[in-house]
Amino acid sequence: ERQSLYRLHCKMLASASTLSLSYAAPAAPAGASLRHARPAAAPPLMETKADLEALAKDLNPAVGFWDPLALSDYSFWGTSQEATIGFLREAEIKHGRIAMAGFVGYIVHSNDIRWTFDKVAASVPTGLPAPAVWDAIPDIAKWQIILFVGVMESWRENKVVLEAEGQKHYMSGGKPGYFPSFDLLPHPVASSDPLPRPGAACPVSLLAALP
């Protein structure tokens, strides 16, 4: 009954969208699973040092290519120079994201910004500098953060997950900085009977209207 109501809501939205926008999305092949459709594999991109020099000049002509340690000339762990460049580009993007997140976290903790429902944060005294806040949180909270980061890192490095989305590892010609989705994880809706997605995806707010 719940799936029938959901389908009815989606059909109503699809009809309204067709009348107002005069647009109809292309229909998926019969029997195809929209959620588990395997995307086309992306062509491998093994960048060379010459590619880095050209990219650096396009991004910032004033500075250009700057590699004082000559890391792009190395071959890490017995791999090729192209694989090493893929590793370096991934590391640069990843560390840049971590630095930005850390900067925001420093501001949040330095200003005693807390969630009102977070009992762990409420147990930490206010007025502490950001490094002291880390020292003051319980050890179980620290391990929770470390474990979460480890899970995200393992998911990013998993070749099976990447290949399921038509991607490759960044040291094998994959896109540096790409993070896969979580479509391979179990979802509440069985893949053998996917709910319809006509026109555009039905708003999540419709789920709240179901009994």
Side-chain angles (χ1 to χ4, degrees), residues 11-178:
K11 289 180 179 178
M12 293 174 64
L13 283 178
S15 300
S17 301
T18 304
L19 292 174
S20 60
L21 302 178
S22 299
Y23 172 79
S33 174
L34 296 176
R35 185 176 153 266
H36 291 283
R38 186 185 181 93
L45 178 62
M46 301 296 288
E47 294 178 304
T48 63
K49 184 176 179 178
D51 294 327
L52 292 184
E53 293 173 349
L55 179 63
K57 187 176 181 180
D58 291 338
L59 295 176
N60 192 333
V63 177
F65 183 72
W66 192 69
D67 184 15
L69 298 179
L71 293 178
S72 58
D73 293 328
Y74 286 85
S75 297
F76 293 170
W77 308 292
T79 60
S80 63
Q81 186 185 48
E82 290 79 6
T84 301
I85 290 175
F87 171 82
L88 294 173
R89 289 205 63 196
E90 171 75 12
E92 182 181 22
I93 295 172
K94 186 182 298 180
H95 292 161
R97 291 169 176 172
I98 294 174
M100 289 186 288
F103 178 73
V104 174
Y106 194 98
I107 294 176
V108 168
H109 293 307
S110 296
N111 290 275
D112 294 326
I113 301 174
R114 312 285 175 84
W115 294 109
T116 56
F117 56 82
D118 191 343
K119 296 182 179 180
V120 175
S123 65
V124 178
T126 58
L128 298 177
V133 173
W134 171 261
D135 295 334
I137 65 175
D139 290 340
I140 187 63
K142 296 176 184 177
W143 283 111
Q144 186 179 25
I145 296 173
I146 295 173
L147 179 62
F148 174 78
V149 174
V151 170
M152 294 295 102
E153 184 74 6
S154 300
W155 191 258
R156 166 64 181 111
E157 297 286 333
N158 195 308
K159 293 183 179 180
V160 176
V161 175
L162 292 171
E163 290 176 357
E165 298 191 359
Q167 300 291 330
K168 291 183 176 294
H169 192 267
Y170 50 82
M171 294 186 70
S172 301
K175 181 179 179 181
Y178 177 83

